[in-house]
Amino acid sequence: MTIIQDASPLIAIAQQTRTSASKLALLPTEAKNQALEAIAQALESAKDEIVQANIADCQAASPAGIAKPLYKRLQLDEHKLRDAIAGVRDVAKLADPVGSVQIHRELDSGLVLKRITCPLGVLGIIFEARPEAAIQIVSLAIKSGNGVILKGGKEAMGSCEAIVKAIKQGLSHTAVDSNAVQLLTTREETLELLNLDKYVDLIIPRGSNSFVQFVQDHTRIPVLGHAEGICHLYIDQSADIAKAITVTVDAKIQYAAACNAIETLLVHKSIAPEFLPKVAEALQKVDVELKGDQRSLEILPNIAPATDTDWETEYSDLILAIKIVDSIDEAIAHINEYGSGHTEAIITEDSAAVETFFGIVKAAGVFHNCSTRFADGFRYGFGAEVGISTQKMPPRGPVGLEGLVTYKYQMTGNGHIVASYTGVNAKSFTHQDLG
């Protein structure tokens, strides 16, 4: 690609990224895996610098009074960093998603069609806080042959700069051009990035509901993301109570700021009198604020009343709304009305209830007898994820490598023309799939 000399700085960056991505798309798997290992080693070498930069970001953000969930996402300690680096190496172990032959078909003798996976091109990733997201996304982008333009939130800028500096240092000794990875630093660049539909092929926002909605409303570039994470846990009449309590507590408190933490607990009326006092005690011991509908208040008179607004609220905090339902059908109806299509779970020992729940609930993830917190690309074995998609069209749910490639049709002939297959003496297609 020819770089336009008088282009705006961001357009020049986007052009440069696209050029580097075109070269990356042609690299063999081994070269991409070597680049990922180089990144992992560079991040390990820069561990202290990255952690110190994050501490400075957190200290600067705390007095500014940012939202508690956002602050929790901002924190990047040695354990989170270690897991992110492990994720880079896990991505290197995964099969290369590029160059996979999905269709290999003879249309006629000497006329062969293939459908082959290929990179999207350039990804624009915009995220609030979550500095480790930069590591996850870059590793997936490189393995899938894509260039990436990162834009972290201002609250995480020091962390992101330290991370990208290490990544570029790691790439400098590999076959991957370090210009395939770029970092933007200002809000103005965010708005300009959303207008670069000529150079950027996919926008992936990671952040709050309002943030994702803003991105979706201000770009013509395809957007992969979820607007909110309102997840439910339904305790069926046939639930094992001990199991239900353990899963409820984990799904709420393991990381309350996560988009896959539950916000509403639905409980069948027949099990509520026994279950609710026990689960309430367990939740209140770990400082969860409970809100309940009228029937829940009759069993738990000391909790706050819930309103209709609570059913459509993503708390991202230690707050949980409770509603008693008459049947699994009522639970599913509530989920399908108020859920965000992210992840929904049922606790039951009734296989028929599981089949009904899995079949009718509208969500990217439907779980049985386990925490919604498992809805994660790393836990799914994707190595990492670029984000969660709640749209019905694929990719859906945690998006790993398979969500960052598309495909193209390749056809090879020997002077074949369409006219031979039309008219009175038209030839017939063989349409034979080849091994």
Side-chain angles (χ1 to χ4, degrees):
M1 174 185 290
T2 301
I3 303 297
I4 302 173
Q5 297 301 321
D6 60 350
S8 74
L10 185 51
I11 289 179
I13 288 172
Q15 291 173 326
Q16 194 174 48
T17 308
R18 199 163 190 83
T19 298
S20 299
S22 297
K23 298 174 183 176
L24 172 58
L26 298 176
L27 289 180
T29 303
E30 183 180 0
K32 292 187 287 188
N33 288 343
Q34 289 172 348
L36 292 175
E37 177 58 30
I39 287 174
Q41 292 180 16
L43 289 168
E44 287 174 336
S45 297
K47 178 183 66 176
D48 292 341
E49 180 182 348
I50 294 169
V51 171
Q52 288 303 313
N54 184 254
I55 290 173
D57 282 339
C58 291
Q59 289 174 341
S62 185
I66 68 171
K68 182 180 176 182
L70 191 64
Y71 185 79
K72 292 180 76 71
R73 296 184 192 118
L74 173 60
Q75 293 175 307
L76 177 63
D77 57 22
E78 289 190 15
H79 300 294
K80 267 190 181 181
L81 182 56
R82 178 199 61 206
D83 290 346
I85 294 171
V88 176
R89 291 192 166 108
D90 286 340
V91 171
K93 297 174 186 175
L94 297 175
D96 194 333
V98 178
S100 175
V101 180
Q102 299 179 327
I103 294 175
H104 187 195
R105 181 172 299 155
E106 176 193 86
L107 304 187
D108 194 8
S109 178
L111 185 62
V112 177
L113 174 72
K114 291 183 180 180
R115 189 170 79 187
I116 299 182
T117 56
C118 59
L120 290 170
V122 174
L123 313 175
I125 316 294
I126 311 171
F127 52 98
E128 291 180 315
R130 304 178 189 271
E132 73 274 17
I135 299 172
Q136 299 169 354
I137 290 161
V138 167
S139 62
L140 291 169
I142 288 174
K143 186 63 179 267
S144 58
N146 292 291
V148 60
I149 301 175
L150 302 164
K151 173 59 179 72
K154 63 180 182 180
E155 67 283 341
M157 196 48 59
S159 306
C160 291
E161 288 177 337
I163 287 169
V164 173
K165 176 184 175 183
I167 288 172
K168 284 180 168 287
Q169 286 176 341
L171 291 177
S172 64
H173 304 295
T174 73
V176 176
D177 184 351
S178 63
N179 287 320
V181 179
Q182 305 282 0
L183 176 66
L184 308 183
T185 58
T186 69
R187 178 178 171 81
E188 291 71 27
E189 287 175 320
T190 301
L191 296 173
E192 189 176 353
L193 175 65
L194 296 178
N195 289 321
L196 295 183
D197 52 293
K198 185 177 179 180
Y199 305 104
V200 178
D201 299 283
L202 181 68
I203 294 287
I204 304 176
R206 296 183 63 167
S208 66
N209 177 22
S210 59
F211 168 72
V212 176
Q213 289 282 10
F214 175 86
V215 171
Q216 292 173 331
D217 292 342
H218 288 81
T219 186
R220 292 177 295 181
I221 304 169
V223 176
L224 187 155
H226 68 278
E228 53 195 348
I230 300 179
C231 303
H232 301 76
L233 179 62
Y234 167 57
I235 311 302
D236 186 50
Q237 60 183 332
S238 299
D240 177 301
I241 287 182
K243 190 182 298 181
I245 292 170
T246 300
V247 173
T248 300
V249 173
D250 183 87
K252 180 69 252 184
I253 75 156
Q254 198 278 327
Y255 185 25
C259 58
N260 57 12
I262 59 169
E263 308 294 6
T264 299
L265 181 66
L266 302 172
V267 184
H268 193 282
K269 65 179 182 180
S270 66
I271 203 172
E274 181 181 2
F275 171 72
L276 281 181
K278 294 179 180 179
V279 78
E281 181 182 5
L283 289 165
Q284 289 170 337
K285 280 183 179 179
V286 287
D287 300 322
V288 176
E289 176 188 345
L290 301 177
K291 299 183 177 184
D293 69 345
Q294 185 57 45
R295 287 199 287 181
S296 299
L297 292 173
E298 293 172 4
I299 298 172
L300 304 172
N302 295 324
I303 68 174
T307 67
D308 289 343
T309 301
D310 288 297
W311 311 134
E312 54 191 25
T313 299
E314 181 181 16
Y315 301 114
S316 298
D317 204 350
L318 293 175
I319 305 171
L320 182 65
I322 302 172
K323 181 178 182 179
I324 294 177
V325 296
D326 291 331
S327 65
I328 187 173
D329 292 334
E330 185 182 345
I332 292 173
H334 180 98
I335 290 170
N336 286 343
E337 180 176 357
Y338 294 103
S340 58
H342 193 299
T343 304
E344 310 292 353
I346 180 174
I347 306 297
T348 187
E349 302 304 309
D350 181 353
S351 59
V354 176
E355 184 177 354
T356 298
F357 191 88
F358 278 12
I360 302 178
V361 167
K362 299 175 183 177
V366 284
F367 293 1
H368 170 219
N369 284 356
C370 58
S371 172
T372 55
R373 287 284 291 124
F374 281 108
D376 176 85
F378 179 77
R379 297 186 179 105
Y380 282 8
F382 297 168
E385 67 182 38
V386 292
I388 302 281
S389 173
T390 54
Q391 63 188 16
K392 291 186 177 180
M393 293 295 291
R396 194 180 193 193
V399 178
L401 292 172
E402 82 292 336
L404 300 180
V405 294
T406 182
Y407 53 78
K408 61 178 67 174
Y409 290 94
Q410 300 177 355
M411 191 180 298
T412 300
N414 188 22
H416 290 74
I417 59 173
V418 171
S420 303
Y421 302 87
T422 61
V424 177
N425 298 314
K427 295 180 65 178
S428 298
F429 291 105
T430 59
H431 289 160
Q432 179 181 349
D433 288 330
L434 305 175

